[in-house]
Amino acid sequence: MMQGKTSSLSKTSNLFLVVLTFLFLYTPIVVLFLFSFNAKAFPAPWDHFTVHWYQELFNSSALWKSFRNSLTVATLSTFLSLSMGILLIFFRVSGGRISRFLPMFYGSLIIPETVLAVSLLTFFSIFGIPLGLPTVVVSHAVLGLGFVVPIVYTHYLELDPKLQEASLVLGATPSQTFFKITLPLLRPTLIATGVLIFIISFDDFIITYFCSGTSFQTLSVYLFSTIRSGISPVVNALSVFLLALTSLLVLFFFSPKMRTRIF
Amino acid sequence: MNESIISTLPKRKQLTLFNPFSKKDIPFAIGCPALIWQILFFYLPILIMIVSSIFLLSKEGDVQGVTLDHFRACLNAMHFSIIFRSIGVALLTALICLLIAFPFAYFLAFRGGRYKNLLLFFLIVPFWTNFLLHVCAWFFVLEKNGFLNNLLLSLNLVKEPIHFLNSFFSVMLMMTYHYLPFMILPIYSSLEKFNFSLYEASSDLGATWIQTLKTVLIPLTMPAIRLGFLLVYIPSFGEFAIPELLGGDKYYYAGNVVTHYMLGEHTAPLGAAFTVMCSCFLVISIGLFLWLTKKLSKFLMGGCQS
């Protein structure tokens, strides 16, 4: 074995790189966290400790309205794209052939989100559809489908086909097989994909910016306009809150029960 | 016997006539929503956007006729330089991400040990929070009397604070920060499935680790590298929020110009024409990239045979 100098050298340099990458990832977050307790607003240097911004965060009605809007959009679009994905798998279990349609769902991988957003805006305005919650949900559901269909279908193909064949041979109808065999086997994948597209929809900015119109605001659009007009430490407090929330979700995603890999 | 068969035949036909779906078609109707959704809200809008690039609008914003003027308006040095700058930025972002991501994913997959899941957790948490919060965070780091300048000043590396914000540097930094996980995750998951005995076999047979990397590891993870590259390259080409917030107003990028035209007064067709043009360049560059990586893969593997 090559356990000489080069090997250990590459090992330490590798570790060094990983530490550096994590420093790169977390320095801004730590700075943001510390400055959420700063008494003076950006870009002032450190003054003294305060929790004033957290109080203001929980009293800001515009922010929480946009937060609720984001939650609504993410929930509805996740539900839509997941159920459409499940129906597609049901179609496959009942003997349909979907492999020839599958490349259609990879389109959202190849086309930049900005192009899709611009196209949806043109589409809605040409047909005179008013922009608002429904248009954002519809657009996010398209975004979600691009993840749901490829991921769920790949995991469906990795299932042991013998289980479903046995069920069919033993006299179960395709729908019985689907609900009693396929769906329980796919459940971890479906939950993981659901969490993933929920987060993607919740954090999405580009499509929402184009398709939300002027009256409807999600958290991302609200943040964009806030940052443009000058950063308030309330945003810092918000990000600490959101980071905690996300960590919980990711923790759930990594829990031993969810032993499925969708990356 | 014969009679009964004949008598059943028209009956079945009648049944299918009255029922819009025969038994075989019902699952297809169920499988449809996803397909219809994808066609109606993905392909149709893109088609309409492409068609709308030749619309001639009146002053009130109604469609008057068809024209190629928008494309002609886009065919000038300014627009081309914007496209090439965006391609350059996207390419540079993808390359920097690859250079950081490969060793990182390598460490995570092979040396991670029991900390693997913990490291993955800490990688994904920032990835899953709203990226506008990251932009906000970098403002605090890059600001004139922010964290980075204070650090550099206290280490005596610089005499005066540097203006990091509103520059090419801050755009590249934010792009790399935002898109790095898109590169790490595919490479990591490919390396994790990698059969480690191949690596051992290579070093047992006397290859140095650079040779192993070149002839075994990189060619076998090439599909993941390619995927990660596209996952970074394509969205960063169209990115407009990061240059808008961190780039200042010195340079324009494709995403900003598209946004500016699309949301402007009656300039939507011009925006559509520019989008079509950008997409053409993007498709050509992707094709070129795929061809190059195929060649590179062959070249690396070929070095092993000779």
Side-chain angles (χ1 to χ4, degrees):
Chain A
M1 283 291 286
M2 287 272 298
Q3 286 293 343
K5 245 182 189 169
T6 38
S7 185
S8 65
L9 187 75
S10 81
K11 203 172 175 176
T12 25
S13 65
N14 231 323
L15 185 67
F16 181 67
L17 228 145
V18 169
V19 171
L20 220 60
T21 312
F22 272 114
L23 263 180
F24 174 57
L25 284 176
Y26 277 89
T27 311
I29 290 172
V30 171
V31 171
L32 193 71
F33 176 72
L34 290 177
F35 273 81
S36 72
F37 298 107
N38 189 8
K40 280 200 179 139
F42 180 82
W46 179 259
D47 198 56
H48 66 87
F49 182 85
T50 177
V51 287
H52 168 72
W53 306 111
Y54 286 86
Q55 286 163 348
E56 205 164 291
L57 167 71
F58 288 99
N59 292 328
S60 163
S61 63
L63 193 151
W64 290 107
K65 198 177 168 224
S66 61
F67 184 79
R68 271 199 304 277
N69 282 341
S70 279
L71 278 184
T72 318
V73 167
T75 313
L76 288 176
S77 62
T78 304
F79 173 75
L80 267 173
S81 25
L82 258 191
S83 39
M84 284 191 287
I86 292 172
L87 284 175
L88 202 70
I89 299 296
F90 179 63
F91 171 52
R92 174 73 172 75
V93 174
S94 341
R97 284 162 205 274
I98 59 171
S99 48
R100 59 188 150 159
F101 304 122
L102 215 63
M104 285 178 56
F105 293 98
Y106 287 102
S108 22
L109 251 179
I110 303 164
I111 288 162
E113 209 184 321
T114 315
V115 174
L116 180 61
V118 161
S119 307
L120 282 164
L121 177 68
T122 315
F123 172 77
F124 290 136
S125 61
I126 275 188
F127 286 101
I129 301 166
L131 299 177
L133 173 73
T135 50
V136 178
V137 171
V138 162
S139 319
H140 281 198
V142 177
L143 203 62
L145 267 185
F147 290 90
V148 170
V149 174
I151 294 174
V152 175
Y153 188 67
T154 318
H155 278 253
Y156 169 76
L157 290 181
E158 281 167 7
L159 296 180
D160 190 356
K162 283 188 196 109
L163 292 170
Q164 291 172 68
E165 278 164 19
S167 158
L168 288 169
V169 166
L170 292 170
T173 61
S175 54
Q176 277 172 330
T177 309
F178 178 73
F179 285 110
K180 295 216 164 126
I181 310 291
T182 319
L183 212 51
L185 285 174
L186 276 179
R187 204 174 55 192
T189 311
L190 289 173
I191 295 173
T193 320
V195 173
L196 180 72
I197 59 173
F198 184 89
I199 298 271
I200 286 170
S201 165
F202 190 85
D203 292 344
D204 178 76
F205 170 69
I206 296 177
I207 284 187
T208 321
Y209 183 69
F210 279 96
C211 298
S212 61
T214 45
S215 56
F216 185 75
Q217 241 185 359
T218 66
L219 194 61
S220 302
V221 178
Y222 174 85
L223 280 174
F224 184 70
S225 52
T226 315
I227 294 175
R228 236 183 183 177
S229 58
I231 298 166
S232 149
V234 176
V235 176
N236 295 29
L238 173 75
S239 50
V240 173
F241 173 74
L242 280 181
L243 269 172
L245 217 66
T246 317
S247 314
L248 281 179
L249 260 179
V250 180
L251 215 60
F252 168 71
F253 195 78
F254 272 95
S255 63
K257 266 189 189 169
M258 301 265 307
R259 260 296 158 85
T260 180
R261 296 292 311 278
I262 59 170
F263 296 125
Chain B
M1 274 288 269
N2 267 350
E3 253 183 5
S4 70
I5 289 170
I6 289 162
S7 63
T8 53
L9 273 175
K11 250 190 197 167
R12 281 184 62 186
K13 264 196 176 165
Q14 257 181 343
L15 253 175
T16 50
L17 265 179
F18 280 111
N19 200 343
F21 301 113
S22 74
K23 217 174 183 178
K24 216 180 130 198
D25 288 336
I26 290 172
F28 183 70
I30 290 167
C32 264
L35 284 174
I36 292 176
W37 201 274
Q38 185 77 3
I39 292 168
L40 198 62
F41 298 116
F42 189 87
Y43 290 101
L44 188 63
I46 287 171
L47 198 70
I48 286 176
M49 191 270 296
I50 293 172
V51 171
S52 83
S53 66
I54 56 166
F55 283 173
L56 181 67
L57 293 187
S58 70
K59 272 182 187 145
E60 288 77 40
D62 304 316
V63 181
Q64 270 185 333
V66 177
T67 175
L68 279 175
D69 284 353
H70 305 308
F71 281 102
R72 257 176 241 136
C74 285
L75 287 175
N76 58 32
M78 186 191 83
H79 285 97
F80 278 119
S81 72
I82 288 167
I83 292 177
F84 286 124
R85 184 177 305 129
S86 295
I87 286 182
V89 166
L91 211 60
L92 197 59
T93 309
L95 277 176
I96 295 173
C97 283
L98 179 64
L99 285 180
I100 303 175
F102 197 85
F104 187 89
Y106 177 86
F107 183 87
L108 211 61
F110 295 146
R111 306 265 159 77
R114 62 205 164 102
Y115 301 111
K116 204 188 260 179
N117 273 339
L118 190 74
L119 292 176
L120 213 56
F121 171 80
F122 280 114
L123 177 70
I124 288 175
V125 169
F127 180 41
W128 275 10
T129 20
N130 204 312
F131 87 98
L132 290 159
L133 296 176
H134 301 161
V135 174
C136 185
W138 277 107
F139 268 112
F140 280 89
V141 175
L142 298 176
E143 214 269 323
K144 203 175 156 221
N145 42 20
F147 174 77
L148 191 58
N149 267 323
N150 278 331
L151 186 76
L152 290 176
L153 283 172
S154 63
L155 290 174
N156 276 328
L157 285 173
V158 291
K159 292 267 156 40
E160 277 175 23
I162 305 169
H163 291 275
F164 287 114
L165 286 173
N166 295 334
S167 65
F168 181 73
F169 172 75
S170 58
V171 172
M172 280 311 302
L173 194 73
M174 191 60 224
M175 290 273 221
T176 311
Y177 187 87
H178 181 50
Y179 289 109
L180 185 60
F182 288 94
M183 187 70 93
I184 294 178
L185 289 173
I187 296 177
Y188 165 73
S189 79
S190 157
L191 282 177
E192 217 199 9
K193 285 179 204 138
F194 183 78
N195 187 353
F196 201 72
S197 53
L198 286 175
Y199 192 94
E200 280 170 353
S202 166
S203 54
D204 280 352
L205 292 170
T208 62
W209 67 273
I210 290 179
Q211 277 175 325
T212 311
L213 192 74
K214 206 184 104 188
T215 53
V216 180
L217 211 54
I218 290 180
L220 285 176
T221 47
M222 200 46 119
I225 293 174
R226 213 177 278 154
L227 176 67
F229 199 91
L230 292 182
L231 282 178
V232 175
Y233 178 73
I234 293 171
S236 56
F237 177 77
E239 184 61 57
F240 79 94
I242 293 172
E244 184 88 39
L245 294 170
L246 285 163
D249 45 12
K250 260 180 258 162
Y251 299 113
Y252 286 105
Y253 298 90
N256 303 77
V257 176
V258 167
T259 315
H260 181 75
Y261 284 149
M262 282 319 252
L263 300 178
E265 194 95 354
H266 306 320
T267 48
L270 183 61
F274 186 64
T275 312
V276 171
M277 223 168 83
C278 287
S279 307
C280 289
F281 275 98
L282 189 66
V283 168
I284 293 170
S285 62
I286 291 170
L288 211 64
F289 166 75
L290 290 178
W291 179 77
L292 270 175
T293 47
K294 210 171 250 175
K295 284 269 168 199
L296 184 71
S297 234
K298 255 188 196 156
F299 170 74
L300 290 176
M301 299 273 252
C304 163
Q305 279 159 10
S306 61

